[in-house]
Amino acid sequence: MTTTLIEKEDRREYRATRRRDLAVDLGMTLATILAALIIGFLVILATGKDPVAAYEALLTGPLERSFRVGRWLEDATTLILLGLSVAIPFRARQISLGAESQLYAGALAAAAVAILLPLPPVAAVILPLVAAAAAGAGMGFVPGSMKARLGANEIVATLMLNAIVVRVYDYLVNGPLKQPGSSAVHSKPIQPDSALTPLTDWFGVPLGRANIGFVLMLLTAVALWLLITRTPLGYRIRMTGSNPDFAEYGGIRVPRAIEWSFVIGGAVAGLAGAHLVQGVYGRLEPGLAGSLAFEGIVVALLARNNPLVVVVAGLFYSYLRAGGDIMEQQTDVGTEIVVVIQAVIVLLVTAQALPDLLKRRLIRKQVGAR
Amino acid sequence: MNSVLDVVLSSAFLAAVLRVATPYLLAAFGGLVAERAGISNIALEGQMLSAACTGALVAGYSGSVALGALSGVAVAMLLGLLLAALRLELGADAIIAGIGLNLLASGATAYAVFSLLDDKGGTSGLKSGTLPTIPLPGIEDVPVLGDVLSDQNMVTWLAFLAAPFVAWLFYRTRFGFHLRAVGEMPEAAASVGIPVRRVQYAGLALSGALAGLAGVYLSMGYVSFFVRDMTAGRGFIALAAVFLGGLRPWGVFLAALGFGAAEALAVQLGTLDVPPQLVSTIPYVMTLVALALYAWRRKRRGTGEPAPVSL
C-alpha cells in the first residue's frame, strides 16, 4: 500500500516538474521576445524617431497585403530550412557554422541540373532538389568526418569551407556561368519545368514568389522531428549530444553519430539553396543567401533545436524581417533596428542562467507553500 | 609566370602585404588572448566593426582622429567585457553569445550610420581623417627597404609589435602566467588563489582592445570612412589564424601574415587575368588541409583526446 502511495506522489512530483519546466521555457521565450521589442522601441525613441508608427508598420505590415504574406512565407522557407540544418548537428553538440557553404553548394548543384539537363516534367523538379541535398550533404561530410575521425575543430573547418565555397561560387557566377550577352551578373534561367510551383497558383491570391517549397519545408521539419525523436539514429545523435562519454560507454559509436548529424544538416541546407534557385530567383545570383546562414543559427537556438519549434521560431523571425522592410518603406526608421532586436533576442536566449534561476525560485516557492 | 614573380618581388607588393596583414594580425592576437584565457572570442568580427564605425563617427564629429581611435578601441573593449559577463555571469555559451554580438554590431552600426547621416552605405559623407603614417628618416631613402617600411600607418607598426608584446605578456609576466593557467584549468588556477574571473575579464578586455585597433585601422588607416559590414569576415579568418598558429604567439603571427600575403597576392593577380576569387581561396584551403594534418598527427601520436566534443 505504502509503495503505491509513494509512487503516486512521485508521479505527481514528476508531472509538476515537467509542467513547471514547460511553463518556464514558454514564459522565457515570450519574455525574451518582449524584452527585445522593448529595447528596440527605446532605441528608436532615443534616436528621435516615432517608435509607435514604426512598430505599427513592423508588427502589422506583413499581413496587410497578400503579396507581403508571400514575401514572408518565401523568406521563412529558406530561413527555417537553414535553422533545421544547424539544429541537427547542434543536437549532437556540434557547432556547425557551415550552413553557408552547404547552401551555396546546393544552389550550384540544383542550378546545374535545372539549367543543363533536359528532363521530363516531374523529374525536372525533383532531380535538382536531390542534387542539391546531395551536394549539401557532401559539404557537411567534410567538416563532419574531419571532426569525427580526426578531432579537428569543426568551427574552424566550417568557417574555412564557407570562405572557400563562397569564393568559388562568386567566381563561377561572374565567370563560366554568367549569362552571355547580359549586362547584369547572373546565370542563365532554369528551365521552366524545374521551377517550384508558386503558391499563387493554388490559392488564387497574389503571393509573390512564395512557392511549394514552403510545403516541402514543413514536410522536412516533420521528417527531421521524427528522425530525432523516433529513430535509432536520432537516439544516437541525442545521446551523443547530451553525454558523449555515457553514449560511448553505452555502445554508441559517437563519431558515426557526429558524422551523420553533419551530413543530414548539410543536406537540408542544400535544399535551402535549391529553394532559392528553383523557387525564388529562378537562376543563380551573386550573394544569393545574404546573411541568412548565420540567422538560421539564431532560429535553431531560439527553438532549442527542436525541429517543430524551429518552424514556429523561423516564422516569427522572418515575420520581423518582412516587417522591418515595410517599416523602412513607410517610416524613417531603418530595417537595421530589426537586426538589433534579433541580436538582443539571441543574447537573452544564451543566458542559460536566467531560466534556471527562475526554476529554482519556483521550486522554492512550491516547497515553501506546502 | 614571370610577371607573377615580378609582382611578388616588387617593393610595392611587400608594402601592400604589411598594409593588408595589419587587421588580421591585430584581430588574431585578440583571438589568441581570449582563447588562452579560456573563452573563445568569435565576436572579433563585431568588435572590429563597432570600433571601425565608432572611430569614424567620433573622429568625424569631434574633429579629433585620436579621440575617434580611442573611443573605437573602448567600444570594442566593452564588447569584450560584455562577452565575458554573458559567459561568466549568465552561463551563456561563448560561441553563441559571440554570434549574437556580431549580429548586434552589424545591426547597430548600420542603424547608427543611417540615423546620423541618412546614408545606407557608410560614412563617406563625413570628413573624419586617418591615423598618421610614420616616415622613417634615413631608411626612407634606402631603395627597397624605404619603399616597404617607410610611410606605413602607425597601426601597422602596432600590429607588428603585437607579436613580441603578446609573447612577452604570456611568458614573462605574472598576468600572462595567470591567464594561461586560467585558460588551461580554471579549477586548478582557482585552488592556488588566482582570481579566475578577474583574469578572464581582463583577458577579454585586452582581446577586445586588439580587435578594436584592427577595426579602427580599417576605417581610419586603410580608408578614411566606415562602410557597412566593412570587416567582411576578417574576424573569422583571424580566428582561423589563431588555431592554425597552434595558439602560440609566433605561430599566430606567421598564420595571420600568411593570410595577409595571400589576400594581397589575390588583389595583385586580379590585374593579371587570374581569377582573383580562386586565388583568394588558397589560404583557406591551406588552413583546412593544415587543420586536418595537425589533427591527424595528434591523433596518431595518441596524445590528443579521441574526437573531443565541444560546446
Side-chain angles (χ1 to χ4, degrees), chain A residues 282-331:
Chain A
R283 60 191 184 198
L284 294 172
E285 303 246 357
L288 202 64
S291 63
L292 271 176
F294 269 96
E295 301 194 16
I297 296 170
V298 178
V299 170
L301 289 170
L302 197 57
R304 287 162 193 258
N305 304 323
N306 178 328
L308 294 183
V309 186
V310 168
V311 176
V312 180
L315 281 171
F316 163 72
Y317 200 92
S318 43
Y319 188 88
L320 279 187
R321 283 166 55 90
D325 290 344
I326 294 159
M327 176 178 72
E328 182 163 285
Q329 289 158 22
Q330 294 182 348
T331 70

Side-chain angles (χ1 to χ4, degrees), chain A residues 92-259:
Chain A
R93 258 211 235 178
Q94 301 300 307
I95 310 174
S96 168
L97 304 181
E100 200 173 14
S101 62
Q102 295 151 6
L103 180 146
Y104 279 109
L108 281 172
V113 176
I115 294 171
L116 299 176
L117 292 186
L119 291 164
V122 179
V125 177
I126 292 174
L127 275 186
L129 288 172
V130 173
M139 222 30 95
F141 177 77
V142 176
S145 66
M146 278 174 69
K147 175 65 185 281
R149 287 161 202 249
L150 303 172
N153 184 310
E154 80 276 20
I155 298 174
V156 179
T158 47
L159 284 174
M160 291 302 99
L161 218 52
N162 287 351
I164 295 166
V165 175
V166 167
R167 281 169 175 78
V168 171
Y169 178 89
D170 195 44
Y171 162 69
L172 290 173
V173 173
N174 281 287
L177 297 182
K178 184 176 178 295
Q179 184 171 30
S182 163
S183 59
V185 174
H186 52 70
S187 76
K188 272 194 226 167
I190 58 170
Q191 51 178 316
D193 278 348
S194 290
L196 294 167
T197 315
L199 287 183
T200 304
D201 293 3
W202 283 14
F203 292 97
V205 287
L207 284 169
R209 296 184 297 192
N211 57 70
I212 198 171
F214 184 76
V215 180
L216 290 177
M217 173 276 289
L218 291 179
L219 293 176
T220 308
V222 173
L224 288 175
W225 181 74
L226 287 174
L227 175 95
I228 282 292
T229 56
R230 300 286 148 88
T231 67
L233 178 61
Y235 173 75
R236 291 201 286 269
I237 289 176
R238 275 186 291 137
M239 285 309 290
T240 298
S242 58
N243 190 343
D245 292 334
F246 182 72
E248 191 86 57
Y249 179 74
I252 289 173
R253 276 186 287 180
V254 169
R256 273 282 176 80
I258 289 177
E259 213 166 49

Side-chain angles (χ1 to χ4, degrees), chain A residues 7 16 39 54-55 66 73 78 87 91 103 165 168 173 188 192 211 220 236 244 260 295 314 316 339 344 352 354 359:
Chain A
E7 266 174 19
I39 290 173
Y55 266 41
S66 71
L73 297 182
T78 317
R91 267 297 174 88
L103 180 146
V165 175
V168 171
V173 173
K188 272 194 226 167
N211 57 70
T220 308
R236 291 201 286 269
W260 271 111
E295 301 194 16
F316 163 72
V339 182
V344 173
Q352 295 287 341
L354 288 180
K359 272 173 205 164

Side-chain angles (χ1 to χ4, degrees), chain A residues 147 149 154 301 328 336 353, chain B residues 90 96 111 120 299 308 310:
Chain A
K147 175 65 185 281
R149 287 161 202 249
E154 80 276 20
L301 289 170
E328 182 163 285
E336 292 81 15
Chain B
L90 295 175
I96 308 299
Y111 185 75
K120 276 257 150 188
K299 194 184 170 179
S310 54

